[in-house]
Amino acid sequence: AQSVAQPEDQVNVAEGNPLTVKCTYSVSGNPYLFWYVQYPNRGLQFLLKYITGDNLVKGSYGFEAEFNKSQTSFHLKKPSALVSDSALYFCAVRADTGGFKTIFGAGTRLFVKA
Amino acid sequence: DAGVTQSPTHLIKTRGQQVTLRCSPKSGHDTVSWYQQALGQGPQFIFQYYEEEERQRGNFPDRFSGHQFPNYSSELNVNALLLGDSALYLCASKGTSGGAGKTQYFGPGTRLLVL
């Protein structure tokens, strides 16, 4: 069965500091991995994805994520946080073995303090 | 280029009633998925529609049903509403051409409150 774990309910970081939002996954077969961001009363906005190839994936708004197969992780990172990055972040996984279901983590709330 | 649109934005119903939510996919997309996002939780997969048929279903009861029209738009129907059905309902669309791992794009959601 597929699953996603986001071990931190909340991450606090000062503006200008690097940020990391953690994600680990479990899936049969090879994973397709995604990060989405959600602002209050809004739908989910796509940030980046890993399908195959380079383990370091670059996405929107300066975010990047590193796929680590041995640790089954896909942590989201940004070198320098902005106050406007404060939002709810979701990691998601879909298997490449023919299923169509995307499984989301419970989300991590990011607070960036000025 | 319009993204994924959903209607209505908000809805209030009472227990036992039925509700229909609507979704228009992003231009060029032919696959629509529906998700339920309860307060404080991540989205939970309800089902996916492609070529007007339900292709896969999550762990939701038969009270949840859907439909996809020839123009790829979709409806989510929920019968016999329960208090626990109160949530944000998200529609997501993607294309199928060009290989696997296509990105889903989400609409703004419909917030349903069941009293």
Side-chain angles (χ1 to χ4, degrees):
Chain A
Q2 298 168 220
S3 66
V4 175
Q6 294 183 241
E8 302 154 317
D9 291 336
Q10 184 172 311
V11 170
N12 298 310
V13 65
E15 188 174 34
N17 283 359
L19 70 87
T20 298
V21 182
K22 296 179 179 177
C23 171
T24 58
Y25 67 90
S26 174
V27 67
S28 298
N30 293 314
Y32 299 140
L33 294 156
F34 305 84
W35 277 101
Y36 287 86
V37 60
Q38 187 175 36
Y39 295 97
N41 300 313
R42 303 280 294 277
L44 276 66
Q45 296 179 31
F46 170 73
L47 281 179
L48 51 80
K49 68 180 178 182
Y50 171 82
I51 302 302
T52 186
D54 288 342
N55 290 341
L56 184 63
V57 178
K58 295 188 182 296
S60 306
Y61 313 118
F63 284 94
E64 58 189 30
E66 186 165 12
F67 170 63
N68 187 317
K69 188 172 184 177
S70 63
Q71 297 185 4
T72 61
S73 67
F74 189 56
H75 301 331
L76 181 70
K77 300 182 180 184
K78 187 174 183 181
S80 179
L82 300 173
V83 171
S84 58
D85 293 330
S86 298
L88 189 55
Y89 290 80
F90 291 98
C91 180
V93 67
R94 187 163 77 238
D96 74 339
T97 51
F100 307 106
K101 176 162 68 168
T102 300
I103 301 300
F104 283 80
T108 297
R109 189 164 297 280
L110 173 67
F111 285 103
V112 181
K113 185 177 179 181
Chain B
D1 173 26
V4 180
T5 59
Q6 292 185 243
S7 63
T9 55
H10 295 82
L11 205 51
I12 300 176
K13 292 287 189 179
T14 56
R15 282 177 296 174
Q17 286 189 312
Q18 178 264 344
V19 69
T20 297
L21 310 182
R22 296 176 175 82
C23 171
S24 291
K26 184 177 170 66
S27 178
H29 287 182
D30 56 8
T31 302
V32 173
S33 297
W34 286 93
Y35 292 82
Q36 181 194 66
Q37 186 179 16
L39 201 60
Q41 297 182 23
Q44 301 291 315
F45 176 80
I46 302 175
F47 41 52
Q48 184 179 93
Y49 275 84
Y50 172 68
E51 293 189 339
E52 301 180 49
E53 291 195 359
E54 182 182 295
R55 190 153 74 164
Q56 189 170 8
R57 189 179 186 90
N59 295 325
F60 281 81
D62 292 344
R63 298 187 297 109
F64 289 77
S65 63
H67 188 77
Q68 185 178 35
F69 298 94
N71 67 352
Y72 309 121
S73 66
S74 178
E75 288 181 349
L76 165 66
N77 300 293
V78 186
N79 294 323
L81 284 167
L82 303 174
L83 296 180
D85 295 331
S86 296
L88 180 67
Y89 288 85
L90 295 165
C91 170
S93 73
K94 69 184 182 77
T96 51
S97 62
K102 299 293 288 187
T103 300
Q104 289 186 108
Y105 291 89
F106 283 80
T110 294
R111 188 162 297 281
L112 172 65
L113 177 61
V114 182
L115 300 176

